[in-house]
Amino acid sequence: MTTMGIDAGELNDDDLVRELRQLHATRSETFFHGSDDALATHTSRTHELETEYLRRYPEREIDPMRLREGARQRS
């Protein structure tokens, strides 16, 4: 399957983040109401962009409250 848009590796950092935010913002609508092809394309593009982001930022900042220990502290 091919994805649409500029290859993730060719996007600058700001564009990569903007594209990821847009895909995450439209995920529910695509999941619940998009065609099978639209969902497959959305999933593929999201994976492509997320993989590129993780490649660039393997040591990305992790919010301690998003870990199990943080969840325990919230309860």
Side-chain angles (χ1 to χ4, degrees), residues 15-32:
D15 289 339
L16 177 62
V17 170
R18 180 181 45 77
E19 290 284 325
L20 277 167
R21 290 189 187 285
Q22 180 61 29
L23 282 169
H24 283 265
T26 60
R27 183 63 182 178
S28 292
E29 188 68 22
T30 304
F31 179 78
F32 287 112

Side-chain angles (χ1 to χ4, degrees), residues 5-7 17-18 20 22 26-29 33 37-38 41 46-47 52-54 59 69 72:
I6 298 171
D7 181 85
V17 170
R18 180 181 45 77
L20 277 167
Q22 180 61 29
T26 60
R27 183 63 182 178
S28 292
E29 188 68 22
H33 305 290
D37 285 344
T41 299
T46 301
H47 181 263
E52 178 62 20
Y53 184 89
L54 293 173
E59 302 296 324
E69 187 60 34
R72 288 186 193 111

Side-chain angles (χ1 to χ4, degrees), residues 61-72:
E61 182 180 338
I62 306 295
D63 181 348
M65 296 307 285
R66 301 289 302 197
L67 301 173
R68 285 186 180 152
E69 187 60 34
R72 288 186 193 111

